[in-house]
Amino acid sequence: MKAIDTFHNPQFKHNCAQAVAYCWKDYFAEQDIVERLAIMGGGRAPEGKCGALYAAQSACPEKAQEIGERFLKEDSKERIWQYSYCKIMVL
């Protein structure tokens, strides 16, 4: 399952952070990580960071910098965001 499959899906009602966390929940120490990230969607992750990026970096902190770089990278096969801050993306 991909994060996009649960993002705003009526069955799951996940925000962006929850969608990523749901797919990577086995990598988190906290069992309730999906529920805890309910408050991180819509630009409410620390410092206004994108919730999906925040969740991915939290799941794999040792690769946080690489994840951030790949998140911002242009890719011809799929759309990658230009910004890492949610408030900028939705303006």
Side-chain angles (χ1 to χ4, degrees), residues 1-9 12-14 18-19 22:
M1 178 175 286
K2 293 182 178 183
I4 196 70
D5 297 330
T6 74
F7 181 63
H8 288 289
N9 178 322
F12 296 97
K13 299 181 184 175
H14 288 162
Q18 289 177 295
Y22 183 81

Side-chain angles (χ1 to χ4, degrees), residues 1-4 6 18-27 34:
M1 178 175 286
K2 293 182 178 183
I4 196 70
T6 74
Q18 289 177 295
V20 170
Y22 183 81
C23 292
W24 291 88
K25 62 187 175 206
D26 295 336
Y27 292 86
V34 175

Side-chain angles (χ1 to χ4, degrees), residues 15-17 39-52 84-90:
N15 64 35
C16 49
I39 62 170
M40 298 295 180
R44 293 183 304 248
E47 300 174 9
K49 187 181 282 188
C50 168
S84 59
Y85 295 94
C86 187
K87 297 286 185 189
I88 295 171
M89 286 191 268
V90 296

Side-chain angles (χ1 to χ4, degrees), residues 27-85:
Y27 292 86
F28 286 94
E30 305 92 356
Q31 295 296 314
D32 64 340
I33 191 64
V34 175
E35 293 79 18
R36 287 190 10 193
L37 289 176
I39 62 170
M40 298 295 180
R44 293 183 304 248
E47 300 174 9
K49 187 181 282 188
C50 168
L53 176 59
Y54 176 77
Q57 289 176 321
S58 297
C60 197
E62 66 277 2
K63 293 191 176 195
Q65 183 172 345
E66 179 184 343
I67 291 168
E69 290 168 0
R70 291 189 70 183
F71 187 83
L72 296 174
K73 182 180 176 186
E74 285 295 324
D75 187 311
S76 60
K77 294 181 183 173
E78 44 184 287
R79 183 175 178 200
I80 305 294
W81 298 108
Q82 285 183 301
Y83 304 104
S84 59
Y85 295 94

